[in-house]
Amino acid sequence: MSVVLANCPADGVAPDNYHATSIYPEFVQVEPGRWVLLAESRMDCVIRKNPDGTLEVVEFRRLKKGDLVAVGRGENGEDGIYVHAGPLDRLPDFLAGWTPANVSGRMSGPMSVDAQPSASQADTQPADNFATTSAGHLADGAAASGAPGLPGTSGASASSGTVTAPSASFASPSPAATADKFAFRTGVSRETSFSLDYDTLYEVLRHDREHGHIVWVAGPAVVFDADARRAFAGLIDAGYVHGLLAGNALATHDLEAALYGTALGQGLYDKRQAPRGHYHHLDAINTIRGCGSIRAAVQSGRVRDGVMHALETRSVPYVLAGSIRDDGPLPEVIADVYAAQDAMRAHVRRATTVVALATALHTIATGNMTPSYQAGPGASLRPVHFFIADISEFAAGKLADRGSLTSRSILTNVQDFVVNVHRALTGACRTE
Amino acid sequence: MSVVLANCPADGVAPDNYHATSIYPEFVQVEPGRWVLLAESRMDCVIRKNPDGTLEVVEFRRLKKGDLVAVGRGENGEDGIYVHAGPLDRLPDFLAGWTPANVSGRMSGPMSVDAQPSASQADTQPADNFATTSAGHLADGAAASGAPGLPGTSGASASSGTVTAPSASFASPSPAATADKFAFRTGVSRETSFSLDYDTLYEVLRHDREHGHIVWVAGPAVVFDADARRAFAGLIDAGYVHGLLAGNALATHDLEAALYGTALGQGLYDKRQAPRGHYHHLDAINTIRGCGSIRAAVQSGRVRDGVMHALETRSVPYVLAGSIRDDGPLPEVIADVYAAQDAMRAHVRRATTVVALATALHTIATGNMTPSYQAGPGASLRPVHFFIADISEFAAGKLADRGSLTSRSILTNVQDFVVNVHRALTGACRTE
Amino acid sequence: MSVVLANCPADGVAPDNYHATSIYPEFVQVEPGRWVLLAESRMDCVIRKNPDGTLEVVEFRRLKKGDLVAVGRGENGEDGIYVHAGPLDRLPDFLAGWTPANVSGRMSGPMSVDAQPSASQADTQPADNFATTSAGHLADGAAASGAPGLPGTSGASASSGTVTAPSASFASPSPAATADKFAFRTGVSRETSFSLDYDTLYEVLRHDREHGHIVWVAGPAVVFDADARRAFAGLIDAGYVHGLLAGNALATHDLEAALYGTALGQGLYDKRQAPRGHYHHLDAINTIRGCGSIRAAVQSGRVRDGVMHALETRSVPYVLAGSIRDDGPLPEVIADVYAAQDAMRAHVRRATTVVALATALHTIATGNMTPSYQAGPGASLRPVHFFIADISEFAAGKLADRGSLTSRSILTNVQDFVVNVHRALTGACRTE
Amino acid sequence: MSVVLANCPADGVAPDNYHATSIYPEFVQVEPGRWVLLAESRMDCVIRKNPDGTLEVVEFRRLKKGDLVAVGRGENGEDGIYVHAGPLDRLPDFLAGWTPANVSGRMSGPMSVDAQPSASQADTQPADNFATTSAGHLADGAAASGAPGLPGTSGASASSGTVTAPSASFASPSPAATADKFAFRTGVSRETSFSLDYDTLYEVLRHDREHGHIVWVAGPAVVFDADARRAFAGLIDAGYVHGLLAGNALATHDLEAALYGTALGQGLYDKRQAPRGHYHHLDAINTIRGCGSIRAAVQSGRVRDGVMHALETRSVPYVLAGSIRDDGPLPEVIADVYAAQDAMRAHVRRATTVVALATALHTIATGNMTPSYQAGPGASLRPVHFFIADISEFAAGKLADRGSLTSRSILTNVQDFVVNVHRALTGACRTE
């Protein structure tokens, strides 16, 4: 059946039985046999048909009374919506000929939308066919998830592997299923091997620097260490950062480091407590506020190094989202968290790769708004890679619990992580 | 010398050399020999003299161009400001006769403020006297910090101890200093004994239920378990909660539990994954938004149990601060984080005890705005108790790193913590 | 086919293609149609046919040249061994009439053992039948794993649930599988609800006090807190501890507490650093060594309370395994770790429930030697319950990664855990 | 007064009031004015005067009835023993002319030992002089702990720093004390800057490769990742490892990797679960046991790469200490933990630097037996550096809680740590 729409009963309130979106590609049957892929989707939102006919994935808070929203919670087409949790290159046959929704302009084609159906209509719709088809393909996909094209092998040096044509469709990192009744080490922990994840990350970043959109998410620990701060600024300089999502703290301590060489009063390299060092972050904020903006402070020459300096001088956009922990805040910080969400999602809509560093708050926020795929040219799909570097099993587990084929967690100190990535990508050092 | 004031050069910008406040009692010499205690202070703010003569501790963001702000970073009186980091009952002699600042009305007395002094003036000011006096008293205080009046002893059962007269001036939990060159276990970890901390908490809460103001800070884990959620609601019912600071997630999952018996789709007691359970928190939010407010949902009978129900039915005020992770949000959530800070601080100004549960974000935010003391009647000082329950050494260490005499961390699962506290306080069980 | 045996080529060396045991029930076909259940099994050992015809699960280090050991790694009967990873009450039909191996006396029946077969023999053996049968039953089992008989439900208070007839066959704690493509919270973390686990533990312990054998495993943190130490001693006094597996540290600090009221020099309740407190544990060890044994120290009246006192006065056996961290050691400590393994396994062979507290080393060691089942009277099987209390996701995950139906981890501070269990079981308090 | 000795009342039992050693240099006054430095000391042992007149630091378990052991717990010379907890280059004046004890041969000079003194003798001994002198020097030392000679500065790149003459007397990493009443970040956590620690480690290792003795302590995680395992083997090949202290698990999984390319059945690089992979570690052990020893397996060509291969081919000694968790064990594993302690201490006696990787058990065991100093030629003292790499605040805090000037913890994943160290030291890459 085609998708059913219903009207929102009030501002910010979805109709009963609304369909909530996931991180997976979702296809909407707008008329019999005509499937449209949701574009720029995100988790836990609803599908709104705009007056111009386009389908848009919107947050509940943006709904207006009377808006038309898709209803039905079937995931296998029985409600006109198909959620594809399998490999991106293994779509069910009935989706052949799908077209992407065009959210910014017109929808990809005229769409006939049923009125809210009677129960009998819904019941007589044979939905089983979709599920069966899907299941068959999922099984195929699982069998084929042998990760061809992954860089390197156990015996070979990662750097010497001639990984040809790093296409956007990197295969699943999931190991092949085993039929054994028992196996150790099925989760991810500090004891999981990460060499492959690093190598994959390097390959993805090299590819997406030119052919994708790399969004970084970072907590303040990135700028608490001299080498890590320099490395991250170096990644910006080298073109590997197309957008940064962070908070007031990262910017504040980065600017404190630029002005005083400390983070929260402690030397970024020598770790000495500066006299009256607990004033430094406040002084940094006060100074920048006096300049009017971070940009002005950089342009005036007050701030001469670090992450914010690199962003400003390279014209890399960033979002600083406010939080209740903030001192200051810095002028660029967005006080309204939902405005900040919108600003973050504007970056994430374009992301082909997200790298999230040592921040549970911002990583989960970003993860929630990041789909697992991007629609490419010619009705193709590519994965959105999501890498997480965090030192805690709890955080990594919480962040990675997305069921995604393309999410990887590396459990380590973010200082080492950033330095490693910079070293590998800038050619300052050959990886072994 | 008396304190020196200077004008703010722009909105939101403090003058050079501003004095930043701490968690400690700070006394300002408004004229020679006349010391005023800052009231309702908080960390990392500045001291503003209002047009009506009162001294107020304000955030940088609230400054207006031309505002008069105290300058000088000496902590021992050399700049007219004395920061008292020692025991509250051991003030230096020169503070005798101090009066509290009256922030809501008029300041406690006329204040003569010096103009910005010349450097020579500052240099010739003999400040050593203050430091010496202070140091002497601090040494006395340290020697006396033998924790008299603490409940129980190592050999005695905690419950059998007849703890008389639980005054507000509970002594320091810090163990007496030892002269040994080496001792094990000087920090706080999962292996630290917590029986004393629990007993102290129980005593403090029993006292402050009638004679103080108890503010709780809570993360969503408090409502993820059936027993813990019931226990926390029970503490509200029993009058031990005078205010709650939390976020959208706690309220959302508490309401999800009330409506569906799940948290993020998982049974609160049986842990089963409900079919389509990942819709539950969205449905809960959508339902409440449809009702217009949490209060309306409670009053209409849609929500019949749990934390939000208890708060509403008991008329206990709460603050739900927004974050970039939020779905929804619920109607009561404050989107502007600095407005949320202000709302939180309105509670904290009155707090005599803060109990913070399993949330780094909200606990740090609250900790930053909580002074270590309250001014009582008759020029007395009492401590503000700050208890933290968290399962992680990192979080507890970060949260407790306040140098406070009155901050205690208990490293445990918040489920156990809340159930324990409820059981001990409601008399459902005798502590051993 | 019947199981195949081969000779050990040297002392401590198994023949090629030996079969390694798991935690699951394993059935050995000793002659066509005659299946024998391994008794007192453990993980990562081999199956030896003793000269008296019995089958015994033995460690590699105990093999002697020429010993007969089962070979073949098929798990579905194709090599004469069937590993049953499904529910204990859902055995495949072909196992009907199985008998338990009798390791202490004679084997349950004469066993004809094939000589090492030729490859053609093995190849022509139709093994698919077993696998198919097994798969069918596993599917049934999974569908039936709806945990009937579990105490309480989401809506009901745990304490009010009238849990009748706590049989030994408690069902699986795993939630029913969902067909959704996505669900949150599929793992175990600090945010997992634990009320059900506590209630199940209480029920199991009440049952097994009379009708089972409860083995505890404990790290030193159990005796670092006054209340926890008293609670654990109380559990021993109340008959809930049938054996304790621990190390030198637990006993040392328990005895230090008995003699000096401290653990590593810090007060067990008041947390004060005793002068020269870093001598206390050494003095405790030296005192006990002077007495000749822990038992002598208890009997002489030198040690008057605590865990070791309770064990000795209640004649509860214990194993203190040595480690390279030990000071002393205490006289009862076993220096040879493999002798210690043997002593531990002597307890575990009888265990129906294991409760492991805050020790990765001893818990993993014990977990490795604990089967998931016990053979009961009349060809019945009951699960061996394995509860783990640890504060760390990493430890709990590592410990629980056994694929077992009956292993549960509670992430909390062991102090709270022990006090909770004592309170619930001794009736000192009613659980809510 | 001179040190007092007393007889052991029984085997393994020290006399009352025995003096227990610490990690610090301890000087014993063997006759008035003649001070002898304990050599090859360790924590929590006693000082025995051997029949040949030498002073030896021995474990309680090695005492024999009648042995002469030093008594007295004063640390400032009042009992003839001076514990020096200050900087190594700031000894009190009264120690001038001290000589090292010669444990292997004769003691450095004739020693007159008092008989057990009467109480009056002890009381009349003026001990205050020592304490006062010591205090003066400690204060000087603290003021001088400005870490001259440390590589790099906050502003300078670590690699460009021309660190001249890396002497053995690296100064304290502790930051200069501040007189502020408050400072953030006084502990060590994941957010602590580690660049300086890495650089110091590199410098120390480069120095001690030729001029010291570098002992490594390692848990199995070092060999769970392909790059980390290769890096650690590379450090052995490059001469940076003079001894390795580990357990059965590290060797087992290293050998599993050599034979099967897996660790616990999971690919060391590709992370795939090998079919029947849970047999791999058992097969590895069985294979090595069949060879008779690890050495034989290497020499026969069965084992061709990895850590054990590098140790054997480079003739680097190692200790594999047994534990109750062990499968197997491998032939070289020492079953008696106290024999293992002795074997470990034989290495530690010579150590100038210890690097401990991702193992709480072995690190604490080694830390307990590692003094903070080595006596050098010409009555000089040099520190023993103790570096710890661990991912957990709890472990690092527990391990580092030694009060030592020379212990440093780096909180990170050991995979990154080992790869970083190898890269920096082998010149494969320039550090930034």
Side-chain angles (χ1 to χ4, degrees), chain D residues 29-45:
Chain D
Q29 189 169 215
V30 295
E31 61 184 49
R34 180 164 181 76
W35 292 90
V36 174
L37 171 73
L38 294 182
E40 301 182 353
S41 187
R42 61 154 290 180
M43 194 167 77
D44 287 348
C45 285

Side-chain angles (χ1 to χ4, degrees), chain D residues 155-223:
Chain D
S157 160
S159 65
S160 68
T162 54
V163 184
T164 56
S167 77
S169 53
F170 299 104
S172 159
S174 306
T178 168
D180 290 353
K181 293 186 181 179
F182 178 73
F184 296 99
R185 305 182 70 194
T186 53
V188 172
S189 81
R190 61 191 68 174
E191 294 188 346
T192 302
S193 166
F194 294 122
S195 294
L196 173 62
D197 299 308
Y198 270 121
D199 289 339
T200 305
L201 171 64
Y202 301 156
E203 191 182 3
V204 167
L205 291 178
R206 283 194 195 99
H207 177 270
D208 281 3
R209 179 167 64 160
E210 301 299 329
H211 309 295
H213 190 76
I214 309 169
V215 174
W216 295 69
V217 183
V222 174
V223 298

Side-chain angles (χ1 to χ4, degrees), chain B residues 30-53:
Chain B
V30 295
E31 59 185 49
R34 181 165 180 76
W35 291 90
V36 173
L37 172 72
L38 295 181
E40 301 182 356
S41 186
R42 60 153 291 180
M43 194 167 76
D44 287 349
C45 284
V46 292
I47 306 168
R48 182 174 68 188
K49 186 193 173 194
N50 290 328
D52 64 358

Side-chain angles (χ1 to χ4, degrees), chain D residues 341-431:
Chain D
Q341 276 190 350
D342 292 345
M344 293 167 72
R345 195 176 165 206
H347 285 277
V348 169
R349 285 176 197 271
R350 304 172 54 199
T352 54
T353 294
V354 176
V355 190
L357 309 177
T359 163
L361 174 64
H362 293 263
T363 302
I364 295 174
T366 305
N368 287 350
M369 62 178 71
T370 305
S372 63
Y373 67 98
Q374 281 280 5
S380 67
L381 288 175
R382 64 154 285 174
V384 174
H385 298 279
F386 204 107
F387 291 87
I388 297 161
D390 203 284
I391 206 169
S392 140
E393 267 90 11
F394 172 66
K398 189 158 184 167
L399 304 177
D401 191 10
R402 312 172 73 230
S404 171
L405 299 175
T406 53
S407 170
R408 294 177 184 231
S409 291
I410 297 181
L411 280 102
T412 194
N413 190 307
V414 71
Q415 299 174 32
D416 277 334
F417 181 85
V418 172
V419 170
N420 284 348
V421 174
H422 175 256
R423 187 188 286 124
L425 293 182
T426 60
C429 179
R430 207 132 297 112
T431 57

Side-chain angles (χ1 to χ4, degrees), chain B residues 116-384:
Chain B
Q116 184 85 17
S118 67
S120 60
Q121 268 187 293
D123 290 344
T124 57
Q125 190 71 18
D128 287 354
N129 180 54
F130 296 113
T132 306
T133 306
S134 163
H137 276 282
L138 285 173
D140 286 354
S145 71
L150 273 170
T153 65
S154 177
S157 161
S159 65
S160 67
T162 55
V163 184
T164 56
S167 77
S169 53
F170 298 103
S172 159
S174 305
T178 168
D180 290 352
K181 294 187 179 178
F182 178 73
F184 297 99
R185 306 182 68 194
T186 53
V188 172
S189 81
R190 61 192 68 173
E191 294 188 345
T192 303
S193 165
F194 293 123
S195 295
L196 174 62
D197 299 307
Y198 271 121
D199 290 339
T200 304
L201 171 65
Y202 301 155
E203 190 181 5
V204 166
L205 291 178
R206 284 194 195 99
H207 177 271
D208 280 4
R209 177 167 64 159
E210 301 301 329
H211 309 294
H213 190 76
I214 307 170
V215 175
W216 295 69
V217 183
V222 173
V223 298
F224 278 5
D225 174 76
D227 285 355
R229 177 171 173 265
R230 196 159 41 224
F232 192 55
L235 287 167
I236 298 167
D237 287 338
Y240 288 100
V241 179
H242 301 140
L244 175 66
L245 312 180
N248 186 63
L250 178 135
T252 294
H253 296 299
D254 178 66
L255 295 164
E256 178 191 345
L259 296 172
Y260 305 103
T262 60
L264 273 172
Q266 189 179 56
L268 222 59
Y269 181 75
D270 65 13
K271 295 196 266 198
R272 298 197 198 184
Q273 296 289 350
R276 299 284 183 262
H278 63 282
Y279 271 95
H280 284 184
H281 72 290
L282 298 174
D283 284 346
I285 292 170
N286 201 50
T287 297
I288 305 300
R289 289 173 72 103
C291 293
S293 68
I294 298 171
R295 172 162 301 175
V298 170
Q299 290 175 340
S300 72
R302 292 291 296 266
V303 170
R304 296 177 184 278
D305 63 19
V307 171
M308 301 314 296
H309 177 267
L311 292 170
E312 289 290 354
T313 54
R314 301 285 171 178
S315 298
V316 174
Y318 56 88
V319 176
L320 301 180
S323 96
I324 52 175
R325 283 168 58 168
D326 295 347
D327 288 308
L330 292 165
E332 274 86 349
V333 173
I334 302 174
D336 183 299
V337 289
Y338 308 117
Q341 277 189 350
D342 291 344
M344 293 167 72
R345 195 175 164 206
H347 286 276
V348 170
R349 285 176 197 271
R350 304 172 53 199
T352 55
T353 294
V354 177
V355 191
L357 310 176
T359 162
L361 175 63
H362 293 262
T363 303
I364 295 174
T366 305
N368 287 350
M369 61 180 69
T370 305
S372 62
Y373 68 97
Q374 283 279 7
S380 67
L381 289 176
R382 65 153 283 174
V384 175

Side-chain angles (χ1 to χ4, degrees), chain A residues 146 180 185 192-193 195 197-199 225 263 268-269 271-272 276 411-413 415-416 420 423 429, chain D residues 146 180 185 192-195 197-199 225 263 268-269 271-272 276 411-413 415-416 420 423 429:
Chain A
D180 290 353
R185 306 183 68 195
T192 302
S193 166
S195 295
D197 299 309
Y198 270 122
D199 290 339
D225 173 76
L268 221 60
Y269 181 75
K271 296 197 263 198
R272 297 196 201 184
R276 299 284 183 263
L411 279 102
T412 194
N413 191 305
Q415 299 175 33
D416 277 334
N420 284 348
R423 186 187 286 126
C429 180
Chain D
D180 290 353
R185 305 182 70 194
T192 302
S193 166
F194 294 122
S195 294
D197 299 308
Y198 270 121
D199 289 339
D225 174 74
L268 221 60
Y269 182 74
K271 296 197 263 197
R272 297 196 199 184
R276 301 283 184 262
L411 280 102
T412 194
N413 190 307
Q415 299 174 32
D416 277 334
N420 284 348
R423 187 188 286 124
C429 179

